[in-house]
Each structure stands twice: as C-alpha cells, then as structure tokens.
Amino acid sequence: MQEAFLFIFTRKITSMLNIVLFGPPGSGKGTQAAKLVEKYQLIHLSTGDIFRTNIKGETELGKLAKSYIDKGQLVPDEVTIGMLQSEADKHTNPAGFIFDGFPRTIQQAEALDKYLNGRNTSITMMLSLEVNEDELRKRLLLRGKDSGRADDQDPAVIQNRIDVYNRDTAPAKEFYTKQNKYKGINGVGAIDDIFQSLCNAIEARVNG
Ligand code: AMP
C-alpha cells in the first residue's frame, strides 16, 4: 500500500517537463522556446511577451511594466511573480511549462520553486543559452530594426539590459547548479543545431 502511494506520488512529481530557458537578452530564447513548445507540447510562458501584450492593451500592468522596460530595467519581483503565477494557474493539466525570461532574479527562482511545489511538481532543468556580448549587441540592434521593439533600438538601453543580466540574473545559474539542474548550451551557430543540442540535453536528463 505504502509502495503504491509512493509510486503514484513520484510519478506525479516527475511527469511534467518543466524547463527554464535561460540566457541574456538576444541569446535566442524566444526562437528556441517556440521550437521546444512544438516538439514537447509545452505551455510557453514568456514574461516579456506577457508584458508586451499588456502594454499593447494599455492595461495598468502594461503602463507600469513599460516604465521599466523602456529603460532596460527589470520589472519589480512582486509584480512579475504575481503575473507569472496567475498565467500558469490558467493551465490545469499541461504536459509541462517552458519558462522563457523567468526567473530573472534569485527571488523569482525561489518563488517559482515554491509555486511548482504547491502544484506537486518541480523544475526539470535549466537550459542556459551562452552567447558572447558582442554577438548579443549585434543581434539586438538587428532585431530592433525588424521588430520595432523600442528596447532593442537604443544602444544604451541594450547595454543596460546586458549589465542587469550580468548583475541580477546570471546568479540564478548558481541557484540551479546547486540543485544539479543547470546545463549550459552554446547559443552561437545555426538555429537547428542549437535546437538539437537543447533536445539532446533534455533527453539525456529525462532518460538518464
Ligand atoms: P524579454 O522579452 O524577455 O527580453 O523582456 C523584455 C523586458 O521585460 C525586460 O528587459 C524586462 O524589463 C522585462 N521583463 C521580462 N521578464 C522579466 C522578469 N522575469 N523580471 C523582470 N522583468 C522582466
């Protein structure tokens, strides 16, 4: 009886595939998240995308977020964590989540662990796209021309986002390293090759 309970309990803990897709701005998280979502049927939660939808819709949250995003600063943790949780709550029985652009601080990482624990699940692994700063600056300016994203058009805002990443966000790698869940992936090269590296890492984790 006890074994049966334990089996059901562990199955529930491990059955979702929850990925943190990590990396500096311009590292290709959005591009790769779209491909991973398709392959593994995951729910894609991009805090940047949710903020942009709110900005377009001129909601209160959007107005608040815009004041930070335009300067290349992080939106405060309380706001971001609350928003992420209410978006995740909309999905009652997903195959898993892919968190794109979240967590961006240790406090967000801790809140995410607590939230998933409350759902009897946990982060499977963090996949971190590693791209050097010169390449990031080039990619972001190019994206600014194509997408019209204001925060991708001003070199000072771009540099601020990279600095904020190095100072406040990169330490989250340590958080997942301590849990044995961190995996760095070379984010420079052909999109399909990078995708293959991500899939290999996921499959090694899930089957290994
Ligand atoms: P992204 O699309 O992920 O590059 O995010 C665009 C901007 O949204 C960032 O530069 C931040 O200002 C804000 N943002 C997105 N995700 C977060 C987060 N997890 N915490 C705080 N701010 C965020």
Side-chain angles (χ1 to χ4, degrees), residues 47 51 61 76-89 102 108 111 115:
T47 39
F51 284 135
L61 173 63
D77 280 340
E78 317 80 75
V79 177
T80 308
I81 291 167
M83 176 185 86
L84 189 276
Q85 291 181 355
S86 53
E87 282 300 317
D89 278 343
F102 185 95
Q108 291 180 16
Y115 171 77

Side-chain angles (χ1 to χ4, degrees), residues 59-133:
T59 67
E60 284 308 310
L61 173 63
K63 279 179 218 160
L64 177 81
K66 189 172 173 3
S67 65
Y68 292 94
I69 293 174
D70 283 354
K71 292 186 219 130
Q73 295 169 352
L74 294 183
V75 179
D77 280 340
E78 317 80 75
V79 177
T80 308
I81 291 167
M83 176 185 86
L84 189 276
Q85 291 181 355
S86 53
E87 282 300 317
D89 278 343
K90 292 178 185 165
H91 306 279
T92 49
N93 196 19
F97 290 111
I98 181 156
F99 300 97
D100 162 3
F102 185 95
R104 261 176 154 102
T105 61
I106 297 282
Q107 208 193 328
Q108 291 180 16
E110 285 168 349
L112 182 59
D113 267 8
K114 213 166 145 196
Y115 171 77
L116 292 174
N117 193 31
R119 289 183 66 151
N120 282 333
T121 187
S122 59
I123 290 297
T124 309
M125 71 190 308
M126 168 194 259
L127 290 163
S128 176
L129 292 167
E130 313 292 356
V131 177
N132 67 70
E133 287 191 19

